């Protein structure tokens, strides 16, 4: 085993291909349904809001998809990202386990989100699009797309969930620094936003509502396409640069993970790290375990149903088979804003259903406990979303301490918490609530699931 | 020349020695004076607040000082930092110049400050000290020392300039996340603080005042030492890991800088990058130019005097020969809080006096213009302090465009601006004032310089 604290590969080792897990799934994904026809969605259904190259990726059965050179050029601004061995944390925990993390906090936006943002900006620019619309929760995705827009010369408009817009002004400022426009959602600028405000003028918004607004704007404007930060196949596959780099870095570390952990909101950061390791399990017999971690306040995988549902509240998107809490579900205002989504990526949902990925949920105080332990051992401050993965990694390491097992634990450090210090403040002040799962509300939301034959 | 966007050396190339410029100065530094005796300060004068190892480094004439292995181990958490070629910025400017930056934003605190914080924490721990006191302006230094304290098991107390404490709550939260205590300065906890509050109950504080408070606490408590984030010889030499790594990385880039640029408050980030290149100029005849950049609102090098003065407002510190605006000078509240200091490192002051370093001052709106240009080309958001260096680098690149000169420009990207988005907000809202140099106030302050034979 290497004695290194970290491995950072030279930029020539940035992957030249993304990995598409679809051909390697235990069974084909259920088709995406067009809600107007009730039939499987076609490429034409998606053309008003996506460029053809991304639609092809969305539906591709090719295992590997070449990364365009201009996208790799931009990746060089921060990739390959470091793979760390958390030696100081291991020592603090007194565990025989080896803990590794892939650190995505080095990107200009401080998270993994630019990995797909730059790819989406590139393909839209190539297709002659001049403007992108999107939604953002905590602001990680909105800032990443603003960055990508500035690097490829595209205008970007971000619908930001109102509660985050108010509570996280600095992520909003970051979006503006990269030249994008940001409006609080629900807004009066779209039919979807106005409909919500008519029902509830004080709505603090949700990711589902903001998606409806952004999709509507893209559908109605010729010059504008839509960009999504998670859930869809093409988004998840762009993130696989994380896992492909990790595979190479583990060769340098002369080790291999026994368990791969990540937090899940829509699923993209976790899929990005995990899918290349899942390929090694499915095709090459590597015996790796997989753990996806979500908040107890929005327990899509652990307490939702596996069913067809809309991706957004306004029912603008196609219907997908996935784990869902219902498209009308509005999760409580936990600080891990990026994990407040009612649905989950269809491919990741299917892997959970097939028992290939274990799902786990934690309350936010326990998650912040883990984050502070980590920060005081390793220095880096995790984003509240990332802290969910940290919590599971620490739990696994403590379990290994009990059993004496020398296992290798890998988790995705998806983003730093420098924009989330108000959440840490609330935690230290004892003001974080451990929201219980609002059972009745979910039952109510599940009654609105669309009927699909 | 290499085609790389960046070079990140393997951690085995983290320097094993710091560089001490004192033996290579054109003439010996003027002695530091004990204000009570009027005579050169001795090691014993400094013992109440510093451990012996640091006092020895402060006075050492050895060119190289070995870096203890436990300090190198901590450096491995983020070092070596990347050396970037700013290709996208060059293209945007249309310059024939090659622009490079050393990116210190990858540290857990987001700036260069931990380079010396971990060294100081280590030596204090070795000396049996259990507690450190310090001051902080914008919070970069205070957070770095909090981090170092958490990594070496030391308590840390930070006196934070009150205006920053109020305006920059997130840097304060960061200090707390790493387990340190932070109080606004002037505070009622020290004689120095109470004296200021008696005169001016509404004082928003200054770095000079906060230093007095921190030094007083260290002098009065047996278990507590003081740690300073800049100005002193030992602090500057700890930062030379930046320049030593840059020298190695330039070999990989197959290039060498014609001009080396950095922002200066007390001088440590700039000295850290520049001094190893200055050694190559002084000892090996390399023809590099050096530019130190400061704010027009606190123009220590460009409009101060070169004279003996106190390092702090309360006259607790030894008297040093340096560029100064007078120890009673309170600079206007610009957003580059780290550059609001009345004095300047003695070694850097002497190099300016000898004509080896050129000093330059900019107004803050021009500096933010440059920062936004940089962010939209290269992605990374500079801290307001760093933005001063960015502005000078862009000016040099535009000058090269006029002359057609293919020069290589290097600057220190000392920290990211993720904690400073409120400053960007103010800039975009047109609310940043370009403070003129308060001539009368400085004249008044200069009347209080101590008399030294």
């Amino acid at each position: 085993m290497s004695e290194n604290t970290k491995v950072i590969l030279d930029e020539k080792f940035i992957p030249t291909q993304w990995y598409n897990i679809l051909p390697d799934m235990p069974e084909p994904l259920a088709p995406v349904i067009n809600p107007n026809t009730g039939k499987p969605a076609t490429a034409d259904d998606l053309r008003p809001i996506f460029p053809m190259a991304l639609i092809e990726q969305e539906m591709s059965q090719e295992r590997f998809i070449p990364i365009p050179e201009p996208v790799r050029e931009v990746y060089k601004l921060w990739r390959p990202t470091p793979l760390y061995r958390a030696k100081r944390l291991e020592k603090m925990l007194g565990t025989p386990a080896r803990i590794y993390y892939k650190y995505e906090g080095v990107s200009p936006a401080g998270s993994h989100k630019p990995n797909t943002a730059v790819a989406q900006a590139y393909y839209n620019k190539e297709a002659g699009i001049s403007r992108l619309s999107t939604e953002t929760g905590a602001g990680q995705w909105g800032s990443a797309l603003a960055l990508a827009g500035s690097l490829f010369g595209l205008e970007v408009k971000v619908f930001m969930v109102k509660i985050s817009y108010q509570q996280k002004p600095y992520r909003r400022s970051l979006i503006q620094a990269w030249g994008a426009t940001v409006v609080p959602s629900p807004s009066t600028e779209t039919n979807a936003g106005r409909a919500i405000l008519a029902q509830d003028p004080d709505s603090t918004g949700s990711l589902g509502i903001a998606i409806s607004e952004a999709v509507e704007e893209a559908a109605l404007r010729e010059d504008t396409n839509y960009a999504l930060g998670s859930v869809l196949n093409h988004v998840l596959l762009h993130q696989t640069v994380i896992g492909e780099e990790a595979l190479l870095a583990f060769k340098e570390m002369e080790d291999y993970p026994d368990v791969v952990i990540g937090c899940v909101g829509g699923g993209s950061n976790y899929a990005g790290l995990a899918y290349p390791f899942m390929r090694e399990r499915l095709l090459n017999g590597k015996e790796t375990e997989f753990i996806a971690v979500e908040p107890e306040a929005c327990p899509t995988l652990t307490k939702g149903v596996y069913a067809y549902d809309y991706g957004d509240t306004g029912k603008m998107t196609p219907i997908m088979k996935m784990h869902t809490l219902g498209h009308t579900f509005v999760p409580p205002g936990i600080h891990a804003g990026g994990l407040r989504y009612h649905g989950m990526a269809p491919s990741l949902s299917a892997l959970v259903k097939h028992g290939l990925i274990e799902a786990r949920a934690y309350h936010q105080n326990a998650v912040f406990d883990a984050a502070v332990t980590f920060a005081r051992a390793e220095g880096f401050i995790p984003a509240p979303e990332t802290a969910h993965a940290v919590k599971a990694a620490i739990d696994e390491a403590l379990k290994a301490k009990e059993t004496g097992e020398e296992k290798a634990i890998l988790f995705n450090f998806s983003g730093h918490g420098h924009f989330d210090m108000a959440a840490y403040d609330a935690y230290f002040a004892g003001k974080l609530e451990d929201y219980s799962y609002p059972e009745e509300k979910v039952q109510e939301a599940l009654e609105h699931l669309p009927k699909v034959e």
Side-chain angles (χ1 to χ4, degrees), chain A residues 189-253:
Chain A
E189 300 189 18
T190 65
N191 292 325
R194 285 186 292 267
I196 296 286
L197 289 172
Q199 278 188 338
D200 176 8
D202 298 326
S203 167
T204 53
S206 75
L207 221 39
I209 296 168
I211 293 175
S212 299
E213 292 207 85
V215 169
E216 181 184 325
E217 173 137 338
L220 294 181
R221 282 185 62 156
E222 193 66 32
D223 63 344
T224 303
N225 265 347
Y226 171 67
L228 185 68
S230 193
V231 179
L232 298 180
N233 299 328
H234 70 272
V235 179
L236 270 56
L237 75 86
H238 296 156
Q239 292 292 356
T240 59
V241 287
I242 303 173
E244 297 295 353
E245 285 177 10
L247 275 167
L248 288 178
F250 266 106
K251 274 191 194 152
E252 292 235 351
M253 282 286 191

Side-chain angles (χ1 to χ4, degrees), chain A residues 100-375:
Chain A
Y100 294 91
Y101 56 102
K102 184 79 167 143
Y103 184 64
E104 292 291 306
V106 288
S107 86
S111 82
H112 67 290
K113 290 288 187 187
N115 296 331
T116 182
V118 298
Q120 293 189 50
Y122 167 77
Y123 288 115
N124 276 290
K125 181 78 177 180
E126 285 293 292
I129 285 293
S130 62
R131 203 165 164 279
L132 292 173
S133 72
T134 196
E135 73 293 329
T136 200
Q140 285 197 344
W141 168 243
S143 56
L145 196 69
L147 165 67
S150 93
L151 296 176
F152 284 103
L154 288 162
E155 263 185 72
V156 173
K157 176 155 176 186
V158 181
F159 291 90
M160 186 168 188
V161 174
K162 195 181 277 171
I163 184 92
S164 296
Y165 184 90
Q166 290 162 344
Q167 288 181 350
K168 308 206 170 189
Y170 294 158
R171 198 87 75 166
R172 187 178 85 206
S173 318
L174 186 60
I175 293 170
Q176 291 167 327
W178 281 315
T181 306
V182 52
V183 295
S185 164
S187 78
T188 55
E189 300 189 18
T190 65
N191 292 325
R194 285 186 292 267
I196 296 286
L197 289 172
Q199 278 188 338
D200 176 8
D202 298 326
S203 167
T204 53
S206 75
L207 221 39
I209 296 168
I211 293 175
S212 299
E213 292 207 85
V215 169
E216 181 184 325
E217 173 137 338
L220 294 181
R221 282 185 62 156
E222 193 66 32
D223 63 344
T224 303
N225 265 347
Y226 171 67
L228 185 68
S230 193
V231 179
L232 298 180
N233 299 328
H234 70 272
V235 179
L236 270 56
L237 75 86
H238 296 156
Q239 292 292 356
T240 59
V241 287
I242 303 173
E244 297 295 353
E245 285 177 10
L247 275 167
L248 288 178
F250 266 106
K251 274 191 194 152
E252 292 235 351
M253 282 286 191
E254 299 163 52
D255 205 349
Y256 196 87
D258 297 299
V259 52
V260 176
I261 295 168
C263 64
V264 287
S268 80
N269 94 73
Y270 183 52
L273 177 66
Y275 284 6
F277 289 94
M278 185 64 80
R279 175 185 70 224
E280 297 308 306
R281 171 165 165 178
L282 295 172
L283 304 189
N284 298 320
K286 292 279 193 185
E287 292 184 2
T288 309
E289 291 171 66
F290 295 86
I291 304 173
V293 191
E294 61 186 12
E296 277 284 7
C298 189
T300 314
L301 290 172
T302 51
K303 294 184 180 157
V305 294
Y306 184 64
Y308 268 108
D309 197 5
Y310 292 97
D312 68 327
T313 307
K315 303 196 271 190
M316 311 276 302
T317 70
I319 304 174
M320 293 169 292
K321 187 95 177 259
M322 60 181 176
H323 283 84
T324 179
L325 294 162
H327 62 274
T328 56
F329 177 78
V330 178
I334 54 166
H335 281 278
L339 307 185
R340 291 173 73 242
Y341 181 59
H342 70 273
M344 187 60 65
S347 59
L348 207 145
S349 294
L351 290 165
V352 169
K353 190 196 128 227
H354 285 291
L356 289 162
I357 295 176
E358 176 199 331
R360 201 178 279 186
Y362 291 112
H363 278 301
Q364 59 180 350
N365 276 295
V367 158
F368 275 90
D369 283 351
V372 168
T373 298
F374 182 87

Side-chain angles (χ1 to χ4, degrees), chain A residues 44-64:
Chain A
D44 276 346
D45 293 343
L46 299 172
R47 286 183 95 142
I49 59 168
F50 291 124
M52 206 53 212
L54 291 178
I55 296 170
E56 282 168 8
Q57 288 179 13
E58 187 62 26
M59 300 178 162
S60 173
Q61 287 291 325
E62 293 294 320
R63 183 171 289 140
F64 293 104

Side-chain angles (χ1 to χ4, degrees), chain A residues 8-16 69 72-81 245:
Chain A
I8 308 178
L9 302 164
D10 185 87
E11 59 192 38
K12 68 178 177 240
F13 294 107
I14 292 172
T16 55
E69 212 37 51
R72 285 189 80 243
E73 275 303 311
V74 171
Y75 280 169
K76 289 177 185 173
L77 291 177
W78 70 93
R79 304 208 72 85
T81 61
E245 285 177 10

